[in-house]
Amino acid sequence: MKRIIKLMAGDVRFQIKYGFYLLYAFFTFLYIAILYILPSAWKSDATTLVIYSDPALLGLIFVGVIVL
């Protein structure tokens, strides 16, 4: 159990070091701003698009950061 906690702490330090949390916060605020600006008729479709595209977009970015 101690080993798993050390591994998780190491992962969190790695993510903080490379700015994962700041990047995710940036994209979250960007999505919120876009959804706020859109007309009411488009918000439902745009929300669906964000829900399905967000994991793919951020997954590619995070994998790229880890590879670099």
Side-chain angles (χ1 to χ4, degrees):
M1 187 66 174
K2 208 175 207 185
R3 187 181 230 180
I4 291 174
I5 293 172
K6 284 185 179 183
L7 286 171
M8 289 176 63
D11 283 342
V12 169
R13 281 193 302 271
F14 177 82
Q15 292 167 0
I16 291 171
K17 179 181 176 183
Y18 289 102
F20 281 36
Y21 298 115
L22 290 174
L23 186 62
Y24 198 78
F26 171 75
F27 280 112
T28 300
F29 288 122
L30 182 68
Y31 289 147
I32 290 170
I34 290 171
L35 290 173
Y36 184 74
I37 293 170
L38 288 175
S40 296
W42 294 6
K43 285 187 182 182
S44 176
D45 293 334
T47 302
T48 304
L49 182 66
V50 167
I51 288 170
Y52 288 117
S53 69
D54 180 58
L57 172 74
L58 293 177
L60 288 174
I61 290 171
F62 291 154
V63 168
V65 169
I66 291 170
V67 168
L68 288 175

